[in-house]
Amino acid sequence: LESILEYSGLIKDVHYEVQKSFRDESGNLKQPDVIVKYPDERLIIIDSKVSLVDYEKFSSSDELDQQEIQLANHIKSIRSHIQNLSSKNYDQYKGAIDFVLLFVPIEPAYMIALQSDKELWNYAYSKRIVLISPTTLIATLRIISDVWKKESQNSNAREIAKRGGALYDKFAGFVQDMEDIEKSLG
């Protein structure tokens, strides 16, 4: 997850924070894996603590019946994590968007879970969780990086316009002073 964040063009502690702790309204300590910031002070929370133990057992097994059991356990583990993550109410954090991104770091583990359980994505979505893989996370973060670049350009353009206006006002004042001096001399 950290390498994808770095690759995306976002800057740590400027555009995103890792393992930042905060307390919710009830005083409970919360610590999402990553908080990604938008220029408008909105936040995206990413969680990457999904267990892939059962997926590893599935992929390393040669026996079909064992693979079926481990695949079922893999999906059950993801569903359990979705339920657990949903109960944390990260979407209630000030500025957070309505959904939490649940990052599954191994693309095949993500794909096999969605292919095997056709309702998994909808189940997660109903709990205000969006399942993402490395590919979809990279695309999402690149878009956010582009939003930051546009915001920086817009901010620079506003500053140039502000300074240009101030320079114009100074020049207009100077010309007016010269005209006043000319009238006084005349």
Side-chain angles (χ1 to χ4, degrees):
L1 178 59
E2 188 93 32
S3 64
I4 290 173
L5 285 160
E6 291 169 3
Y7 173 75
S8 72
L10 297 174
I11 301 168
K12 186 176 183 175
D13 297 326
V14 174
H15 302 129
Y16 70 92
E17 297 174 319
V18 178
Q19 299 286 320
K20 181 181 178 188
S21 299
F22 65 91
R23 295 206 179 269
D24 64 12
E25 294 172 358
S26 303
N28 299 321
L29 184 66
K30 305 285 182 165
Q31 188 175 26
D33 293 328
V34 175
I35 298 176
V36 179
K37 302 173 186 177
Y38 268 101
D40 66 355
E41 298 184 21
R42 299 282 290 164
L43 306 171
I44 297 176
I45 295 177
I46 303 174
D47 180 89
S48 66
K49 295 179 186 94
V50 65
S51 172
L52 297 173
V53 173
D54 295 309
Y55 173 75
E56 191 278 322
K57 290 177 183 175
F58 161 79
S59 61
S60 64
S61 177
D62 293 332
E63 298 176 29
L64 189 57
D65 58 334
Q66 280 299 313
Q67 283 183 332
E68 289 176 7
I69 292 169
Q70 296 308 325
L71 180 56
N73 289 341
H74 172 57
I75 293 167
K76 185 177 172 182
S77 173
I78 291 174
R79 281 183 171 265
S80 174
H81 190 68
I82 289 167
Q83 181 63 40
N84 183 34
L85 186 56
S86 176
S87 71
K88 292 182 179 182
N89 295 321
Y90 282 146
D91 58 323
Q92 302 299 314
Y93 183 64
K94 182 182 177 233
I97 63 170
D98 294 338
F99 292 88
V100 174
L101 303 183
L102 174 54
F103 177 62
V104 181
I106 299 175
E107 195 85 32
Y110 171 82
M111 294 304 294
I112 194 82
L114 292 179
Q115 289 170 352
S116 300
D117 184 347
K118 303 291 185 206
E119 288 302 310
L120 183 61
W121 202 92
N122 289 331
Y123 171 73
Y125 192 80
S126 73
K127 300 283 186 185
R128 303 180 98 51
I129 309 292
V130 175
L131 296 172
I132 56 169
S133 68
T135 302
T136 54
L137 180 61
I138 288 169
T140 301
L141 294 175
R142 293 300 290 234
I143 290 169
I144 294 169
S145 178
D146 286 346
V147 169
W148 273 108
K149 286 177 187 170
K150 292 286 185 200
E151 174 60 25
S152 178
Q153 288 171 347
N154 291 341
S155 177
N156 288 340
R158 285 189 297 269
E159 184 63 26
I160 289 169
K162 179 180 163 187
R163 289 183 183 201
L167 186 60
Y168 174 79
D169 292 344
K170 289 269 190 196
F171 185 70
F174 174 75
V175 169
Q176 183 62 47
D177 290 346
M178 287 298 171
E179 287 175 354
D180 291 345
I181 290 172
E182 181 183 15
K183 285 179 187 175
S184 294
L185 288 174

